[in-house]
Amino acid sequence: MSAETPAVPGTDEHYLRVARRKFRAWRGTRPFWAGLFIMLGGLPIAYFPYAHLQIGHLTLAMATTAGAGSLIIGVLLVVLGISLWFQKHVRVFAGIAAILLGLVSIPVSNLGGFLIGFLLALIGGAMAVSWAPGEGEDAQPAQAGTTSEGSAPEGAADSDTTALKPVVGESNDLSGTSPANGANGRHSAG
């Protein structure tokens, strides 16, 4: 291959670079980070009620009476995160459900997984609700001849057309109530 040979993307690249580019393209078309935050929020909520921490010879059991509820909340958050990745049209439902499950986890699951899972679920849920799909490549580019900020773009509205211009020689009064025709703003009933 010489220096003048044009490089074609995807032909001579390493397979990891191609996979990374495809993953980035896939990730850009869905609320990826919102799903990741929601899944990461579900893990501490589901884990901490069943965890036994060892501090030296001291075993600290954090089991609560609502351990099954914590497990259900955690699993639902993980499922909502996965559904955001593969079913992007449920983003508003999944975001609101993640926020509500995060709030419910405060009294049920050791303060929402010691506030870690709670905060991650709230942030991910807010990101899911606020995510909007981007415009495709087929969208029209912005016009090059736009005016300065604060004014309307070209072709949108002419500053001379904001007020009605009188038509010379023709009456544009269709109701017959113009003061110019002597009706004085009232309908003449005959």
Side-chain angles (χ1 to χ4, degrees):
M1 179 174 351
S2 67
E4 289 85 26
T5 306
V8 179
T11 57
D12 293 333
E13 291 183 292
H14 195 265
Y15 70 94
L16 289 177
R17 186 173 292 176
V18 173
R20 182 172 180 252
R21 186 173 43 247
K22 287 182 182 179
F23 173 70
R24 289 180 75 189
W26 175 82
R27 187 183 72 196
T29 61
R30 59 202 70 247
F32 176 80
W33 293 107
L36 185 67
F37 274 99
I38 290 173
M39 283 190 288
L40 290 176
L43 294 177
I45 291 173
Y47 174 73
F48 284 136
Y50 295 103
H52 296 284
L53 295 178
Q54 293 281 350
I55 303 173
H57 294 291
L58 179 67
T59 300
L60 180 64
M62 292 179 282
T64 62
T65 58
S70 300
L71 184 64
I72 290 171
I73 291 171
V75 168
L76 283 175
L77 284 172
V78 170
V79 168
L80 286 172
I82 291 172
S83 70
L84 279 173
W85 283 359
F86 298 106
Q87 305 264 331
K88 59 185 173 185
H89 61 276
V90 299
R91 65 180 173 83
V92 175
F93 168 76
I96 292 172
I99 291 171
L100 291 175
L101 286 171
L103 289 171
V104 167
S105 73
I106 291 176
V108 171
S109 174
N110 293 332
L111 291 175
F114 296 118
L115 297 179
I116 298 168
F118 164 72
L119 290 174
L120 287 172
L122 252 58
I123 291 169
M127 288 171 70
V129 170
S130 66
W131 182 83
E135 295 180 7
E137 293 179 12
D138 57 334
Q140 294 180 345
Q143 293 180 355
T146 58
T147 58
S148 64
E149 64 181 70
S151 63
E154 286 185 25
D158 188 6
S159 62
D160 294 336
T161 60
T162 54
L164 293 176
K165 295 180 185 178
V167 178
V168 179
E170 256 182 59
S171 173
N172 62 356
D173 180 32
L174 300 177
S175 66
T177 60
S178 173
N181 66 4
N184 217 7
R186 299 181 190 172
H187 290 285
S188 58

